[in-house]
Structures are given as structure tokens and as C-alpha cells.
């Protein structure tokens, strides 16, 4: 599945290896589960395995976000889906009807699943939307 979704990205085992190296060096690490793809990567067994592997690799946190489909991305992704997973096209059309975001009830269900599984794995969890406000500059100004 990883190869079909991200054919040029490093394999998951290599990513977890990098995470372990960083964690062993004292760098705080976090598992990013983004985007969670409806009916492809949202299954409990998949998420549980990710959380366990991340915890084993030294992660302390998990951050997640369900796929959102902005204009441009939506058309490209739906073409990909029609080729690779045609049976899912009607489900995505139902979940994303007229919106870049999946139906709120589905998003809530996935967020609850992620929080529960993260807690079971010993990770803290947050949604992408829960990130601290990043609008304030984090670096001192060099203006005199």
C-alpha cells in the first residue's frame, strides 16, 4: 500500500529507523499520520501498528489529520483513486460531497480512534488543528 500511495518516498521501516536514530540522540520525535486516507489507512489494525512501531522507535507523540482535498489536489487524487482503487470513488464522493473536508462525523470517529490507539501505545495525541498558534514569530527580529 505504501508503494502505491507514495512510490518515491522512503519505506516505512526506513522512516522508523531514522526516528529511532533521532530518539536515541535525544531528539524529541513525533509520528505524523497525515493524511489519514478514508478506507485505505484509517483501519484500526493499521493505526495500531503505526502507533506501536512509532513508540518502539522512540516517538512520544502522534499527530494526525484526515485527508482534505483542496481544488487541484482533489482532481489529481480522485484520478489516482479511480485508477488504483475504483471501488472507493463513490465512498470518497459521499464523504467529501461539496467540501475539501470529509464529513464531520467521519472525522470525529477517526480522531477518537487515533486518540484511543495512541493512548494504548503510550503516545500523546493531537490533531493537526490542535497545533499551537504558529502565527507569532518564533525568532527574534533582527530589525534595529
Amino acid at each position: 500500500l505504501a508503494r502505491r500511495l507514495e512510490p518515491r518516498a522512503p519505506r516505512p521501516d526506513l522512516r522508523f529507523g531514522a526516528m529511532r536514530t533521532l530518539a536515541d540522540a535525544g531528539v524529541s520525535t513525533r509520528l505524523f499520520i497525515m493524511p489519514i486516507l478514508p478506507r485505505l489507512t484509517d483501519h484500526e489494525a493499521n493505526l495500531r501498528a503505526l502507533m506501536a512501531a512509532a513508540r518502539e522507535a522512540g516517538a512520544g507523540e502522534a499527530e494526525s489529520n484526515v485527508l482534505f482535498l483542496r481544488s487541484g489536489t482533489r482532481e489529481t487524487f480522485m484520478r489516482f483513486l479511480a485508477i488504483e482503487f475504483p471501488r472507493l470513488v463513490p465512498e470518497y464522493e459521499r464523504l467529501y460531497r461539496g467540501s475539501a473536508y470529509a464529513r464531520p462525523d467521519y472525522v470525529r470517529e477517526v480522531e477518537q480512534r487515533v486518540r484511543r490507539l495512541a493512548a494504548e501505545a503510550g503516545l500523546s495525541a493531537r490533531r493537526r488543528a490542535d497545533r499551537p498558534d504558529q502565527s507569532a514569530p518564533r525568532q527574534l527580529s533582527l530589525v534595529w
Side-chain angles (χ1 to χ4, degrees):
L1 182 59
R3 279 287 152 246
R4 287 172 81 186
L5 296 173
E6 298 179 301
R8 292 169 192 83
R11 295 185 327 250
D13 62 315
L14 297 175
R15 294 180 195 195
F16 285 121
M19 182 182 280
R20 169 49 57 204
T21 299
L22 290 167
D24 287 348
V27 176
S28 178
T29 61
R30 174 182 298 140
L31 173 68
F32 282 86
I33 313 170
M34 296 182 205
I36 295 174
L37 303 173
R39 312 302 182 243
L40 286 170
T41 62
D42 63 349
H43 303 290
E44 185 152 334
N46 176 66
L47 293 170
R48 179 177 280 118
L50 279 173
M51 304 283 185
R55 188 69 192 128
E56 219 173 278
E61 301 174 86
E63 186 169 328
S64 65
N65 197 52
V66 172
L67 175 70
F68 60 94
L69 295 171
R70 293 184 188 147
S71 182
T73 302
R74 178 188 197 98
E75 294 77 14
T76 301
F77 184 79
M78 292 303 281
R79 275 193 303 274
F80 163 81
L81 207 59
I83 293 166
E84 294 291 330
F85 305 98
R87 75 187 191 296
L88 293 178
V89 170
E91 178 69 5
Y92 273 73
E93 288 172 347
R94 186 181 68 78
L95 281 172
Y96 289 89
R97 184 170 298 148
S99 176
Y101 299 92
R103 288 191 354 225
D105 60 317
Y106 170 79
V107 172
R108 274 191 305 277
E109 175 188 319
V110 171
E111 289 172 349
Q112 289 169 353
R113 185 178 312 138
V114 167
R115 277 193 301 273
R116 178 176 50 80
L117 294 171
E120 288 175 13
L123 301 170
S124 63
R126 73 178 183 195
R127 301 170 309 144
R128 182 176 186 267
D130 294 335
R131 286 182 182 173
D133 181 15
Q134 300 294 319
S135 61
R138 297 183 68 169
Q139 181 175 338
L140 294 176
S141 171
L142 299 177
V143 176
W144 294 49

